[in-house]
Amino acid sequence: MASDPGARRAEGRLTRKGVQTQQRIVAAAADLILQQGVAGTTLDDVRAEAGVSSSQIYHYFADKEALVRAVVDYRAQTVVGEIHEPMLAAIEGIDGLRAWRDKIVSIQDDAGCQGGCPLGSLGSELAELDHVARHNVAAGCSRWEAAIRACLQGMHDRGQLVPAADPAQLATAMLAALQGGLLLAQIERNTRPLAAALDVMISLTASLAPPAQSDDSAR
Amino acid sequence: MASDPGARRAEGRLTRKGVQTQQRIVAAAADLILQQGVAGTTLDDVRAEAGVSSSQIYHYFADKEALVRAVVDYRAQTVVGEIHEPMLAAIEGIDGLRAWRDKIVSIQDDAGCQGGCPLGSLGSELAELDHVARHNVAAGCSRWEAAIRACLQGMHDRGQLVPAADPAQLATAMLAALQGGLLLAQIERNTRPLAAALDVMISLTASLAPPAQSDDSAR
């Protein structure tokens, strides 16, 4: 939120309780926006959902735009920083990638495939309306891509992928498959396209193991 | 539009000029929605863009929802029916897939990566707001996937892919890579992720050629 003057207005003098209230407002807004989009969410909805007054919202956020930008930062932090970065950093090989895939599919199954990607769907809705928000979604996607790349680069460095494999290009394609799979699953209300897209990318990664490595993993 | 009573209300008695006016309204609405989203587009914007009166819009469409549903059908028809289906049907091998990829990237380059996928972005914005629209976007995506699958199945049938290749799964993953690539390109304002995602999927397809076929294509 450091780049967002609207959200920062009260920052210097926030008590611990103030920080908690501010975070509760952002989390409530994020939930509502995932369910009904940015345009379908009013500050009055957020007020009711967070159990705060209108003046409390305006104490922390200059306007809806400032709150939406705070939601973008919150989603980048929760989805990428708290879920995907630690999961991807812990992956040691192809089985770890498969567990990551299973977790992603299972989250969507639990959500009935509603809402799509909490970060990507913000990007789609805001890209042409708020260039600061678009830029911040792009920064979140860039972190996400870097985490996938580091995972694949680690496999490459450990000799689990052939030298000719390109972890950077593979990571970009993996994130695209993930984003496209999440969108198609949301539209179809079925994890089928998400699972297929990730399975193809993981099979491709598995096929890039050197022959000896394939033997190892088959033991 | 047959499934949409709101858009059909005047259908039985439209003159040729009436059909043209109706189509001009839908095309104007589709352009505006690509630039500024469904929520950011008012019927008044559409009226001004199409050069028609409010009463003309209400003559053809019961309300904004009916017009937006007509835009979904229009996008499914123009993007899938008029661009991708014929391109994919004409593809005879991996070089054709590469030309398809070049065309997709070039369209996004020309658009400055604005708007993303005209059909997929409607799906993202409408999925949680209008289940009829979501269903119609899903039908368009299903046609798109079927066209990619038929292209890959043709390559498979002609022996250009090894028997073990799975054209159906590959097609789902290809559409996901395309949708995710378009979204990431829109967010990043750069075709880099789109090109990388399609390149990886096409390299994968090329790697599924039987050895003799690879030699043929190298001639």
Side-chain angles (χ1 to χ4, degrees):
Chain A
M1 274 177 252
S3 63
D4 188 342
R8 218 175 35 181
R9 62 206 297 250
E11 210 163 71
R13 53 193 162 82
L14 285 189
T15 60
R16 192 172 61 179
K17 193 163 172 219
V19 170
Q20 286 172 347
T21 303
Q22 188 182 40
Q23 288 174 343
R24 193 164 80 244
I25 294 168
V26 173
D31 281 351
L32 289 170
I33 286 172
L34 189 66
Q35 290 163 35
Q36 56 202 38
V38 172
T41 301
T42 64
L43 286 182
D44 208 46
D45 296 334
V46 175
R47 186 196 54 66
E49 177 80 9
V52 297
S53 66
S54 287
S55 67
Q56 277 178 297
I57 291 189
Y58 286 111
H59 178 70
Y60 297 107
F61 302 98
D63 50 24
K64 182 176 171 185
E65 185 176 73
L67 175 57
V68 168
R69 289 177 182 178
V71 168
V72 168
D73 294 336
Y74 169 83
R75 287 304 191 188
Q77 178 53 29
T78 50
V79 175
V80 183
E82 291 170 23
I83 300 179
H84 284 270
E85 279 180 351
M87 280 188 75
L88 286 159
I91 290 175
E92 294 181 347
I94 204 77
D95 288 344
L97 273 181
R98 291 197 180 107
W100 175 68
R101 171 263 188 226
D102 289 347
K103 178 75 180 170
I104 292 167
V105 171
S106 141
I107 290 172
Q108 290 302 308
D109 260 332
D110 291 347
C113 294
Q114 293 196 338
C117 173
L119 185 62
S121 60
L122 283 171
S124 182
E125 187 169 358
L126 296 171
E128 311 310 328
L129 300 176
D130 179 347
H131 292 298
V132 172
R134 179 184 64 69
H135 186 268
N136 292 350
V137 173
C141 289
S142 177
R143 268 180 80 176
W144 206 337
E145 186 178 338
I148 300 174
R149 187 168 59 241
C151 165
L152 296 172
Q153 186 65 52
M155 291 176 65
H156 194 256
D157 293 347
R158 292 189 296 273
Q160 296 168 305
L161 301 177
V162 293
D166 181 344
Q169 193 190 38
L170 206 54
T172 309
M174 189 83 85
L175 182 59
L178 173 54
Q179 286 295 325
L182 286 166
L183 174 59
L184 292 171
Q186 179 188 18
I187 292 171
E188 201 177 302
R189 289 290 190 255
N190 192 307
T191 53
R192 179 196 69 86
L194 175 64
L198 291 176
D199 284 344
V200 165
M201 289 306 301
I202 291 174
S203 292
L204 169 61
T205 309
S207 78
L208 294 172
Q213 186 61 38
S214 301
D215 291 343
D216 284 348
S217 66
R219 277 192 309 208
Chain B
M1 275 177 250
S3 63
D4 189 339
R8 219 175 35 180
R9 62 206 298 249
E11 210 163 72
R13 55 194 160 82
L14 284 189
T15 60
R16 191 171 63 180
K17 194 162 171 221
V19 170
Q20 286 173 347
T21 305
Q22 190 182 39
Q23 288 174 343
R24 192 163 81 244
I25 294 169
V26 173
D31 280 352
L32 289 170
I33 286 172
L34 188 66
Q35 289 164 35
Q36 56 202 37
V38 172
T41 301
T42 65
L43 286 182
D44 209 45
D45 295 335
V46 175
R47 186 197 54 66
E49 178 80 8
V52 297
S53 67
S54 286
S55 65
Q56 276 178 296
I57 289 189
Y58 285 112
H59 179 69
Y60 297 106
F61 302 98
D63 50 23
K64 181 177 172 183
E65 186 176 72
L67 175 57
V68 168
R69 289 176 184 179
V71 168
V72 168
D73 294 335
Y74 169 83
R75 286 304 190 189
Q77 178 53 29
T78 50
V79 175
V80 183
E82 292 170 22
I83 300 178
H84 284 270
E85 280 180 349
M87 280 188 75
L88 287 158
I91 290 175
E92 295 180 346
I94 204 77
D95 288 345
L97 273 180
R98 292 196 179 106
W100 174 68
R101 170 264 188 227
D102 288 348
K103 178 74 180 172
I104 293 167
V105 172
S106 142
I107 290 172
Q108 291 302 309
D109 259 332
D110 291 347
C113 294
Q114 292 195 338
C117 174
L119 186 61
S121 60
L122 283 171
S124 182
E125 186 169 359
L126 296 171
E128 312 309 329
L129 300 177
D130 179 347
H131 292 297
V132 172
R134 180 184 63 70
H135 186 269
N136 293 348
V137 173
C141 290
S142 178
R143 268 179 80 176
W144 205 339
E145 186 177 336
I148 300 173
R149 188 168 57 240
C151 164
L152 297 171
Q153 186 64 54
M155 292 177 64
H156 193 255
D157 293 347
R158 292 190 297 274
Q160 295 168 305
L161 300 178
V162 293
D166 182 344
Q169 192 189 39
L170 206 53
T172 309
M174 189 83 83
L175 182 60
L178 173 53
Q179 286 296 325
L182 286 166
L183 174 59
L184 293 171
Q186 179 188 18
I187 292 170
E188 201 177 300
R189 289 289 190 258
N190 193 306
T191 54
R192 178 196 71 85
L194 174 64
L198 292 176
D199 283 344
V200 166
M201 289 305 301
I202 291 173
S203 292
L204 169 60
T205 309
S207 77
L208 294 171
Q213 185 61 37
S214 300
D215 292 342
D216 285 348
S217 67
R219 277 191 313 208

